[in-house]
Amino acid sequence: MFLFFGKNNLPSMSNSATTKPASLIALISVFFFWGFLAASNGIFIPFCKTHFSLSQFQSQLIDSAFYGAYFIGSLLLYIFSLQLNKDIINRIGYKKTIIYGLLISIIGAFIMIPAVNSGSFMFILSAFFIIALGFSLQQTSANPLVLNLGNPATGSHRLNLAGSINSLGTTIGPILVSLALFGKLIATDVDKTTVSIGSINILYIILAVAFAAAILVLVFSKIPRLEIEQEGAGMKILKEPLFFIIGILIFLVIIFLFFTYRNSSAYSNSFDYSKFVFLLGVSIFLLILLAVLFLLYKKMKAQNRFEPALYPQVTLGMFAIFIYVGVEVTIQSNLGTLLKQPEFGALADSQIGPYISLYWGSLMIGRWTGAIATFNLKKTANTILTLIIPFVALSLVLFMNHLSGADVSSFFLYALCVGILIVGFFLGKQKPALTLMIFGVMGIAAMVIGLINTGTVGIYALLSGGLFCSIMWPCIFSLAIAGLGKYTSQASAFLIMMILGGAFIPPVQGLLADYAGIHISYIIPVFCFVYLAWYAWKVKKVLISKGIDYDSTTGSGH
């Protein structure tokens, strides 16, 4: 029943040999809009906090709605597929699934307009959740489609290219949003908290139009249907990932019930009714989801519809995505507090922004560099671009900060960290498992250096975590779904669920910071990078045992 593919017998993709660059360009345009939307949150959150007189906790529920939508959306898609005994994405097709996801996001964007005007923050959260729900559907389909538009062994390079487009969206997004809302390039903190209702409406109309434009591009593009999209294929369940999801849900229920208890009147003298209702509602919802999963599991077991656990790369990859998203977010989420410490410069809130910008810009630097391999250039051209592109990307990041009025001269030495990144790319030789392991080891080294140093050295070491995180998503994703064939969409849904790690690991580091100090709390990212480096080593062994070795089928372009 299972078919595994060797290095000379990789999964066959319909039309993959004749896939035109225009098809790939049309597809990765969607990644740009994901970044564009993310750029609007920095404005939308302070607006909501001021306009609706929210607490800091309540305003951050916008991020909770975003991460929660990815998890819930992918989980519901999986549950529906189980119940119908049909793989919904395979039946509909990857391209159409992305289009339907964009339509859901358009609905959410238009719902946001009456939500903002209604004055109900819960209505706004619901609209934001719907937008991100569409994103979960898009990502579940877009990532494996990019990986399989050509040789799967080089899929991580194409996903790097898509990631670089996403980073471009997050880079120029703030400029476009500021122009649309404030009529000027850079918005001050005062501007952000005095945005009118009309300006917010304009923002989401622009987003709806952008989503519609993406749909038109996809409709008229000739993206081939893949052989793994086997219409009407019977739904089989990969056993171990289901246990992993149930475990995550149990953990979520325990956490939310705990915080519900802590905010009850019996525990606290200051009863926060809105916080209590929210946490209780989320807990009940998670309990219902857990009950549904257990009932489905019992039904599937009775019908003997479980496949043997022959795909350990999926479960290992799920945890790797969970850890990767978590470490990527936690490094910068706790950085502001670290920079306020005397030994790290005692910076004021107004001085922290450029450092956060440089961190996220580091991801763009790495992704732009990783995307070079997509174009199959000659060795000399590849080498020259690998040496030049990272510094071009760094210059763009510094220029953006210069436009905002920041003094970027103190960041010039960061070019040394970029140089280390380039060394990592040459050592990785465009091989996904090897590159992931090297960048994992470099991430460990960077965090350890940040732990034992203060001042500029410590700051640069921690900021460089963004450089080493930059290419991890495509490497993890391509290795986790290798050789899955028609089960690719199911595995993709599992992996997208694990974006939830971005909502869990940062609070864990924050909890350690409360007890041991913010500096020592950066031991958490060390452990995260240790797992990611181990995953690269382990998953390669797992895939080789199944006759798949992407590191051997991807040639060195250096």
Side-chain angles (χ1 to χ4, degrees), residues 41-66 121 124-125 128 274-275 278:
N41 292 348
I43 296 172
F44 192 61
I45 290 175
F47 161 77
C48 287
K49 182 177 181 181
T50 300
H51 187 78
F52 299 106
S53 300
L54 303 175
S55 66
Q56 183 66 17
F57 169 82
Q58 290 171 323
S59 70
Q60 295 304 308
L61 293 180
I62 290 177
D63 279 338
S64 297
F66 181 81
F121 184 59
I124 289 174
L125 283 181
F128 197 80
S274 62
K275 190 183 297 186
F278 170 78

Side-chain angles (χ1 to χ4, degrees), residues 246-439:
I246 290 174
I248 288 287
L249 277 174
I250 292 174
F251 182 67
L252 282 169
V253 169
I254 293 173
I255 291 295
F256 276 109
L257 288 176
F258 172 74
F259 279 103
T260 300
Y261 170 72
R262 282 184 61 90
N263 286 278
S264 67
S265 55
Y267 187 89
S268 175
N269 294 327
S270 56
F271 176 66
D272 189 333
Y273 179 78
S274 62
K275 190 183 297 186
F276 173 80
V277 170
F278 170 78
L279 291 173
L280 183 61
V282 171
S283 299
I284 293 173
F285 180 67
L286 289 171
L287 283 170
I288 292 173
L289 279 179
L290 186 59
V292 169
L293 267 182
F294 272 122
L295 289 174
L296 283 172
Y297 169 73
K298 189 175 181 180
K299 177 183 176 182
M300 301 302 116
K301 187 175 182 180
Q303 297 176 353
N304 194 27
R305 285 166 55 195
F306 279 121
E307 290 287 0
L310 296 179
Y311 292 126
Q313 68 264 37
V314 180
T315 306
L316 293 171
M318 286 171 66
F319 196 58
I321 290 290
F322 186 90
I323 292 294
Y324 157 71
V325 176
V327 71
E328 178 187 89
V329 174
T330 198
I331 291 174
Q332 68 87 31
S333 291
N334 291 280
L335 188 62
T337 301
L338 182 76
L339 293 174
K340 292 180 181 180
Q341 306 306 307
E343 61 271 29
F344 285 92
L347 302 182
D349 287 337
S350 60
Q351 298 173 302
I352 292 173
Y355 291 87
I356 302 298
S357 173
L358 182 58
Y359 175 78
W360 289 115
S362 296
L363 282 112
M364 185 184 76
I365 293 168
R367 288 169 180 169
W368 280 24
T369 310
I372 296 171
T374 309
F375 302 101
N376 296 317
L377 302 171
K378 292 182 178 180
K379 182 177 180 180
T380 301
N382 209 334
T383 301
I384 292 174
L385 287 177
T386 301
L387 291 170
I388 294 176
I389 290 297
F391 295 108
V392 172
L394 175 62
S395 299
L396 178 60
V397 173
L398 296 182
F399 178 69
M400 295 297 297
N401 278 281
H402 172 72
L403 287 179
S404 68
D407 180 10
V408 298
S409 60
S410 59
F411 293 144
F412 290 161
L413 286 177
Y414 192 67
L416 296 175
C417 297
V418 174
I420 295 173
L421 173 80
I422 294 173
V423 172
F425 273 108
F426 280 113
L427 292 175
K429 301 177 181 179
Q430 301 179 6
K431 300 178 178 182
L434 178 61
T435 299
L436 179 60
M437 184 169 64
I438 289 172
F439 277 56

Side-chain angles (χ1 to χ4, degrees), residues 180-256:
L181 297 184
F182 315 114
K184 54 185 177 180
L185 188 63
I186 301 300
T188 64
D189 291 338
V190 174
D191 293 326
K192 291 181 181 180
T193 55
T194 57
V195 179
S196 68
I197 293 292
S199 297
I200 293 296
N201 290 344
I202 291 173
L203 171 62
Y204 281 92
I205 290 174
I206 291 174
L207 287 172
V209 172
F211 297 147
I215 290 177
L216 290 175
V217 170
L218 287 172
V219 166
F220 291 103
S221 65
K222 296 181 179 180
I223 296 177
R225 189 174 176 86
L226 309 179
E227 287 184 10
I228 59 176
E229 302 174 65
Q230 297 184 22
E231 192 168 346
M235 183 68 179
K236 291 292 186 178
I237 305 169
L238 301 180
K239 189 174 180 180
E240 290 182 351
L242 184 59
F243 294 148
F244 190 95
I245 295 169
I246 290 174
I248 288 287
L249 277 174
I250 292 174
F251 182 67
L252 282 169
V253 169
I254 293 173
I255 291 295
F256 276 109

Side-chain angles (χ1 to χ4, degrees), residues 21-201:
S23 299
L24 181 60
I25 293 172
L27 178 58
I28 64 177
S29 66
V30 180
F31 287 73
F32 174 86
F33 295 115
W34 298 340
F36 185 88
L37 178 67
S40 70
N41 292 348
I43 296 172
F44 192 61
I45 290 175
F47 161 77
C48 287
K49 182 177 181 181
T50 300
H51 187 78
F52 299 106
S53 300
L54 303 175
S55 66
Q56 183 66 17
F57 169 82
Q58 290 171 323
S59 70
Q60 295 304 308
L61 293 180
I62 290 177
D63 279 338
S64 297
F66 181 81
Y67 285 112
Y70 274 101
F71 180 76
I72 299 300
S74 297
L75 181 59
L76 290 176
L77 180 67
Y78 179 61
I79 289 175
F80 290 149
S81 293
L82 291 180
Q83 188 62 34
L84 295 173
N85 195 26
K86 296 176 182 177
D87 191 311
I88 294 177
I89 294 180
N90 280 355
R91 188 172 183 85
I92 296 174
Y94 285 88
K95 176 180 170 180
K96 288 184 179 179
T97 302
I98 296 171
I99 291 174
Y100 292 150
L102 285 165
L103 286 172
I104 293 173
S105 295
I106 288 175
I107 292 171
F110 279 121
I111 290 177
M112 185 66 76
I113 296 172
V116 172
N117 286 278
S118 71
S120 170
F121 184 59
M122 292 306 295
F123 193 3
I124 289 174
L125 283 181
S126 299
F128 197 80
F129 182 86
I130 292 172
I131 294 174
L133 203 63
F135 277 20
S136 72
L137 200 59
Q138 295 164 43
Q139 287 231 32
T140 300
S141 299
N143 283 284
L145 187 53
V146 170
L147 285 169
N148 288 300
L149 278 178
N151 185 350
T154 57
S156 62
H157 303 328
R158 292 187 293 277
L159 204 52
N160 258 323
L161 177 62
S164 69
I165 299 300
N166 177 268
S167 293
L168 182 62
T170 58
T171 299
I172 71 173
I175 298 176
L176 299 178
V177 170
S178 293
L179 287 173
L181 297 184
F182 315 114
K184 54 185 177 180
L185 188 63
I186 301 300
T188 64
D189 291 338
V190 174
D191 293 326
K192 291 181 181 180
T193 55
T194 57
V195 179
S196 68
I197 293 292
S199 297
I200 293 296
N201 290 344

